[in-house]
Amino acid sequence: MTISLSGPRSRFAPHLAALSALLALQSCGGGGDLSCGGPFCVVPPGAEQATRLEPVAGDSQTGAPGRELLIPIEVLVTDDDGRLIPDVEVSFAVGQPGGALSDTTIRSDYQGLAKVRWTLGAVPGAQTIEAIATGGSGVPLSGSPLTFSAQAVAPPPARLVLRQPPSGRVRNGMLFPSQPVVEVLDAEDEPVAQVEVTAGIAVGGGALSGTATVPTDAAGRASFADLAIEGAAGPRTLRFSVADPALEIVSGTVEVGAGSSFRLVASEPLVYEGTVNSPVSPAPSVTVFDAAGNPVPGAAITFTADQDGSVSPTTAITNELGVAQAGWTLGRSANLQYSLSAQIQSGGDPVVFSAIASAGAAGRLAVRTQPPTTARSGDAFGRQPVIQVVDQLGNPASQPGVRITATLSSGPAGTLANASATTNASGLATFSGLALTGLVGEYRVSFSAPSLEGVGSERILLAAGAPARLSLVRQLAPAARSRVPLSTQPEIQVEDASGNPIREAGIPVAAAVASGGGSLGGGTTVATDASGRAGFTDLAIIGAPGSRTLRFTGAGSSSGAVSSEITLPGVATISVLTAPPPSVVVGTRLDNPVSWSLKDAASQPVADAPVTVSVSPGGAVEPSTGVSDVDGIVQLQSWDVAPLASTQSVALEAADAGGSRVEIEAVPDVAFQLLKISGDNQSAEVNSDLPAPLVVRVVDQFQNGVSGATVQWRTCDGVGDYDPVTDVGGYASAFQATGAEPGTFCIMASSGELLDSPIQFSFTATAATDGSVPPPLNGQLQGATPAPALGRTHTRR
């Protein structure tokens, strides 16, 4: 039988209406029927219309230029009744003078909120952004556009870091080999540009010359270029300071040594009385001072005797006290004034000594046995000299007990050992063990005694002695890089005790680190060539930044030769070479995710610099400690991303260089489970809305919210077609109207085959408080009563 409802009113119409009302009554019940949800109970959900855009947070902040503001910019989308409207597109735009936003377009979440992070532009001053949203018809929402303002203010300095300390050893008045670099940081350890840093002497006195006030560059670094200390030798510390606010940092000890030769001073006496053909006593000496009055060691002094006088050595080197001394033997002419001049080889006025030579009063000395014509430095003469006291006519004089002293009257530089002998009853003195130690060359020895005219020997050609020490004839450059061959390779000379080169091939010389730690690379043992020199070719220091000295041993030398200080520069900048993808699924292991480049102040790679790597809580990295490679690169081998969806990071830190942080966005894994969040078991009067939305959440295996998952909101018997997607937090929700009938109703949310899907909600519609009730059926079918509506569902994007 077919019933037609078209055309004129059917005679069956009253019966169909009654049947429909009865079915509705059976479906919706009078309450307590949780199976309710048929097509006569629930109407499909609808969407609310956004009408208003309101500011929530982030306005009128103050921040640093080029930095992200602390509080995100946040707006709220609602309708005219203040209900929160999801899934509305909000656009954000930066005004002048620029800046950046984390997103330029974002959709409101299930709470009606849309927020972005704002990085200010680089120019200090007022800055703005706008938030714009439109309704479904394209008409701007009330309040749109919203304007947010911020003030960009350069942050004040908060601390100073001595990125490159001054040299540990300097010379008075001479530029530091390593000039200091100071970094100025704010409270967030970010560099502060255009801040004046002033250097001065903190402890030790004296004056600091050069440009003592330097502004920081864009990297927050004040690089000094021409600093020098002027003053007495001794330790100093330097202070580096900023005036506003008052900040300072103090260097380590800077040991100041003598500067360049400036002044030559003669030691008393300057006028002597002596005996012909005899040395004066005490031997003439001079002291060299620099401009600050510090004695200068290592200065070369030239001594010159006039007439037939002689001096030894003709060139003397000042000792650690700045003193140089020479033996001066007067000539053979009595009652004649002799002079001796001394002058710094590098220039300057000479000083002059003078002496009057007197004749010997009681005779003179004569050489009976000459010393050998050749000798080896340090060895006793093979033929010892014999000296006779004679009268003026040359006859032997029997004068026992006369002490005869041997001194050098000429020659490069040397000393005599066992240089005295006493006459016997015949006036004869035989030397024993007399030896000459000194530089190779031609020498003459004079013999003298009180009140007697002295006598000189024939020439003695002195040869080098036995190997006894090593000399660093080519010094190393003050700076080097780990694992990189030294720019100036050392050259070692084997010498005897007097510094004479031993011209012998095949003597092994070994190099090692004397101080500062680390090791050496390249050829560390080299044999001497025919000239007795060992020339290294590829020697390299391997170790962390810092100062080192090297020791060279061999040829029977117990202490060897020690180099001057060599500095491996520290890390000044850290930059990221390779970075991981910007977003990664939580719980992922990344292989070789990050590499960093470490460079010094001269932009050269820093090898073997110790580093530490830290990671966000819940994550793990390998390795967590290590050193940079030969190219100054640090490679992170693995990064286990924590299971929490969030911004995660790894940070590398190197001594005195701050650090470098790399961030990723850890995003949720695939959808795994559907959770009931809130809204169950509510109640409200008929013909009203439930007070709170029904909320579910889609999460991954780690309980992170999964966005973009479709959630189907239906009655419990499957009626409805509202299928929103979850917002950025994984939430989806629905607002529910109670409808006109009292009773208990069932709603469900489902999402594919997820664990715990579907989820049921129940709510109760209570009778109106004014006592009104639906009209009684009285057994009559009065027509269907509108059912509760599932609607106003919204999602977070």
Side-chain angles (χ1 to χ4, degrees):
M1 175 178 179
T2 301
I3 300 176
S4 174
L5 300 180
S6 62
R9 182 177 178 86
S10 170
R11 63 189 180 89
F12 296 109
H15 301 286
L16 290 174
L19 177 61
S20 297
L22 179 60
L23 289 174
L25 179 64
Q26 290 175 346
S27 179
C28 297
D33 182 5
L34 292 180
S35 66
C36 176
F40 300 101
C41 282
V42 180
V43 295
E48 296 291 345
Q49 292 298 315
T51 59
R52 300 183 59 80
L53 183 67
E54 302 173 6
V56 175
D59 194 20
S60 301
Q61 296 185 72
T62 298
R67 309 259 188 93
E68 187 179 277
L69 292 174
L70 293 178
I71 302 173
I73 304 303
E74 194 166 6
V75 298
L76 180 67
V77 181
T78 66
D79 64 9
D80 286 334
D81 295 325
R83 286 175 289 206
L84 313 176
I85 307 302
D87 205 30
V88 175
E89 184 177 283
V90 181
S91 298
F92 294 87
V94 176
Q96 294 299 323
L101 298 169
S102 58
D103 290 286
T104 55
T105 301
I106 193 166
R107 306 190 76 85
S108 57
D109 64 13
Y110 84 103
Q111 296 174 313
L113 296 173
K115 60 184 176 181
V116 295
R117 303 202 70 88
W118 181 9
T119 299
L120 296 178
V123 179
Q127 303 190 22
T128 61
I129 65 170
E130 284 189 343
I132 302 170
T134 59
S137 61
V139 177
L141 301 186
S142 175
S144 175
L146 292 174
T147 299
F148 292 82
S149 64
Q151 195 72 21
V153 178
R159 71 186 185 101
L160 307 181
V161 178
L162 191 56
R163 289 298 183 206
Q164 180 169 294
S167 302
R169 293 183 179 274
V170 301
R171 295 181 63 185
N172 168 58
M174 303 181 74
L175 298 183
F176 298 165
S178 176
Q179 293 285 330
V181 176
V182 178
E183 188 172 33
V184 179
L185 302 175
D186 64 15
E188 297 177 7
D189 277 349
E190 294 292 338
V192 183
Q194 296 305 309
V195 176
E196 290 191 337
V197 179
T198 299
I201 296 177
V203 177
L208 187 66
S209 65
T211 305
T213 298
V214 175
T216 55
D217 59 18
R221 293 184 175 178
S223 300
F224 294 85
D226 58 354
L227 294 184
I229 294 175
E230 297 177 353
R236 305 286 197 286
T237 56
L238 300 187
R239 177 187 293 110
F240 302 92
S241 61
V242 168
D244 186 19
L247 299 171
E248 69 174 43
I249 189 171
V250 177
S251 74
T253 300
V254 178
E255 194 68 38
V256 179
S260 58
S261 302
F262 177 76
R263 182 166 54 100
L264 185 65
V265 176
S267 302
E268 293 292 339
L270 273 70
V271 178
Y272 290 87
E273 290 184 358
T275 304
V276 293
N277 211 28
S278 298
V280 298
S281 181
S285 64
V286 293
T287 304
V288 180
F289 297 95
D290 66 11
N294 300 303
V296 179
I301 307 299
T302 299
F303 291 94
T304 304
D306 70 350
Q307 304 185 79
D308 61 342
S310 61
V311 63
S312 179
T314 54
T315 299
I317 306 299
T318 55
N319 61 16
E320 66 277 4
L321 300 177
V323 175
Q325 190 175 57
W328 180 23
T329 300
L330 303 181
R332 299 182 60 85
S333 300
N335 301 316
L336 184 67
Q337 179 170 303
Y338 289 86
S339 65
L340 174 72
S341 65
Q343 187 174 24
I344 302 173
Q345 275 191 357
S346 58
D349 296 331
V351 297
V352 178
F353 300 88
S354 63
I356 298 295
S358 301
R364 58 189 177 85
L365 301 179
V367 179
R368 289 291 184 252
T369 302
Q370 288 282 349
T373 57
T374 60
R376 190 179 181 190
S377 178
D379 292 351
F381 291 162
R383 183 172 65 237
Q384 292 289 313
V386 178
I387 308 301
Q388 175 71 61
V389 178
V390 297
D391 60 20
Q392 292 295 339
L393 299 177
N395 299 307
S398 299
Q399 292 188 27
V402 177
R403 181 180 175 84
I404 297 175
T405 302
T407 57
L408 291 176
S409 59
S410 67
T415 58
L416 292 172
N418 303 312
S420 64
T422 303
T423 58
N424 58 17
S426 301
L428 200 65
T430 301
F431 284 80
S432 175
L434 181 62
L436 171 57
T437 300
L439 301 179
V440 295
E442 182 180 302
Y443 290 83
R444 292 181 187 273
V445 177
S446 66
F447 301 93
S448 62
S451 302
L452 297 174
E453 180 183 338
V455 67
S457 72
E458 296 175 351
R459 71 173 188 174
I460 303 169
L461 294 178
L462 186 67
R469 70 180 197 183
L470 300 178
S471 175
L472 194 59
V473 294
R474 185 166 62 213
Q475 274 289 355
L476 309 180
R481 291 163 51 204
S482 181
R483 298 181 184 270
V484 176
L486 301 173
S487 58
T488 303
Q489 289 289 322
E491 188 171 8
I492 309 301
Q493 175 70 60
V494 178
E495 299 174 341
D496 65 11
S498 297
N500 297 300
I502 303 298
R503 305 186 187 283
E504 181 180 335
I507 301 174
V509 176
V513 175
S515 66
S519 60
L520 293 180
T524 57
T525 300
V526 176
T528 57
D529 59 16
S531 65
R533 291 192 173 188
F536 292 81
T537 58
D538 59 353
L539 201 61
I541 298 174
I542 302 173
S547 297
R548 308 286 195 287
T549 58
L550 305 186
R551 175 177 284 109
F552 301 90
T553 55
S557 171
S558 58
S559 59
V562 177
S563 73
S564 57
E565 194 172 78
I566 310 158
T567 299
L568 303 185
V571 178
T573 60
I574 303 174
S575 58
V576 178
L577 285 182
T578 59
S583 62
V584 177
V585 173
V586 293
T588 300
R589 164 165 282 198
L590 300 175
D591 294 323
N592 300 318
V594 190
S595 63
W596 291 271
S597 174
L598 278 54
K599 294 188 177 181
D600 59 23
S603 297
Q604 294 297 314
V606 179
D608 298 298
V611 297
T612 58
V613 182
S614 58
V615 64
S616 299
V621 292
E622 182 65 34
S624 59
T625 61
V627 297
S628 53
D629 67 14
V630 65
D631 296 315
I633 294 173
V634 177
Q635 177 67 61
L636 192 62
Q637 296 173 4
S638 66
W639 179 3
D640 292 327
V641 179
L644 177 64
S646 60
T647 300
Q648 299 188 30
S649 64
V650 290
L652 178 136
E653 292 186 355
D656 299 324
S660 172
R661 183 178 301 275
V662 175
E663 293 185 342
I664 61 169
E665 201 63 37
V667 299
D669 201 351
V670 296
F672 173 73
Q673 185 178 15
L674 184 66
L675 303 177
K676 181 189 293 183
I677 301 302
S678 63
D680 198 14
N681 297 316
Q682 299 183 72
S683 64
E685 291 184 2
V686 293
N687 298 319
S688 67
D689 290 333
L690 295 180
L694 314 179
V695 183
V696 295
R697 191 183 191 201
V698 176
V699 297
D700 65 10
Q701 60 175 323
F702 303 110
Q703 301 298 294
N704 298 297
V706 179
S707 64
T710 300
V711 175
Q712 298 174 326
W713 290 96
R714 303 287 188 270
T715 63
C716 285
D717 60 357
V719 176
D721 61 0
Y722 189 61
D723 300 336
V725 295
T726 53
D727 63 18
V728 70
Y731 295 94
S733 62
F735 282 101
Q736 180 64 50
T738 57
E741 279 289 334
T744 300
F745 301 92
C746 175
I747 303 298
M748 69 177 180
S750 62
S751 185
E753 300 298 323
L754 300 186
L755 181 67
D756 295 332
S757 175
I759 288 176
Q760 291 189 354
F761 293 82
S762 68
F763 68 91
T764 301
T766 61
T769 56
D770 60 6
S772 62
V773 296
L777 294 178
N778 293 324
Q780 301 295 320
L781 297 177
Q782 301 294 326
T785 302
L790 174 66
R792 292 186 294 282
T793 306
H794 59 267
T795 64
R796 179 194 296 263
R797 292 283 180 187

